Amino acid sequence: MVANGLVGPVVNTLRAAGFFALMALQTASAIAEDPYQAAMRAVKANDFAQAVTLFEPLAQSDDHDAQYNLAVLLKSGKGRPQHFTQALEWAWLSQLGGVERARPLSEELAALVPPAQRDECLEKIGAHLEARLARGEQGAVMQYVTCKSEILPKPDFQSAYVWSLIGAALGLPGAAQMRDQIAEGLDPR
């Protein structure tokens, strides 16, 4: 038995509580959504500005696939004005992170960017990798070796060798092979 006709207000209150709980779950779901997947959905929906907005913080956080996708968007001028130099920086970082499809993109972009701007790109990449190394990020070691030995127009095999020694000592994949390969090309003097 319900006293004083409270059934209606109680039911309405429960409905409202249920509605707000559902909204909270949907909001939490949207917040918890994988930003990379959200960026890929934005690309598929041709919302390139949103895709760039989502890829950029991921790229800055060393998500190498996001770096590649951001490079592609910047190269084509989708979502942001076309910018070959920025695209090259992201493509090189992606390549250093092991994204194989970034290599031909890097080569294509490097041919489009004037030498002075390429050098600025390389300086920024070097500073970025050195900051990661200073923070003790092991993932940056072999990227730094590859940058010094393969990306620079005039490779710095001495630095690459030293860091490949460190990588090998840490047991990083491919470090010992890279160390030995670089050592073969070094002048013993």
Side-chain angles (χ1 to χ4, degrees):
M1 202 193 264
V2 178
N4 299 328
L6 291 176
V7 170
V10 170
V11 169
N12 287 340
T13 301
L14 289 175
R15 282 187 188 146
F19 171 76
F20 287 115
L22 180 61
M23 292 301 293
L25 283 174
Q26 289 176 341
T27 301
S29 170
I31 290 170
E33 180 180 32
D34 177 16
Y36 183 84
Q37 291 304 318
M40 292 303 293
R41 275 193 293 286
V43 168
K44 289 177 184 166
N46 293 327
D47 186 355
F48 300 117
Q50 178 66 10
V52 167
T53 297
L54 293 168
F55 278 135
E56 195 163 37
L58 294 171
Q60 291 167 346
S61 298
D62 296 308
D63 180 319
H64 305 299
D65 289 316
Q67 290 169 339
Y68 173 80
N69 287 311
L70 186 56
V72 168
L73 291 170
L74 290 169
K75 176 186 175 269
S76 62
K78 293 182 177 177
R80 195 169 287 167
Q82 191 174 51
H83 201 299
F84 294 143
T85 305
Q86 288 177 359
L88 177 59
E89 181 179 344
W90 291 120
W92 269 335
L93 284 168
S94 178
Q95 179 182 340
L96 291 170
V99 177
E100 285 300 319
R101 62 187 182 208
R103 183 178 301 275
L105 177 62
S106 298
E107 291 168 359
E108 180 183 350
L109 287 163
L112 297 171
V113 174
Q117 290 175 323
R118 278 196 312 263
D119 291 345
E120 285 178 28
C121 254
L122 289 168
E123 287 176 25
K124 286 172 71 176
I125 290 169
H128 173 74
L129 291 172
E130 288 168 6
R132 290 182 59 209
L133 291 169
R135 290 191 300 268
E137 292 182 33
Q138 288 186 12
V141 172
M142 294 313 295
Q143 291 174 20
Y144 192 72
V145 170
T146 303
C147 183
K148 292 291 186 178
S149 63
E150 296 177 15
I151 304 268
L152 292 179
K154 293 180 183 176
D156 178 356
F157 291 116
Q158 294 291 337
S159 293
Y161 181 67
V162 168
W163 283 97
S164 67
L165 288 170
I166 294 167
L170 292 170
L172 299 178
Q177 294 85 349
M178 184 75 91
R179 174 202 61 206
D180 296 344
Q181 181 182 354
I182 294 169
E184 287 176 12
L186 289 177
D187 185 356
R189 290 181 263 160

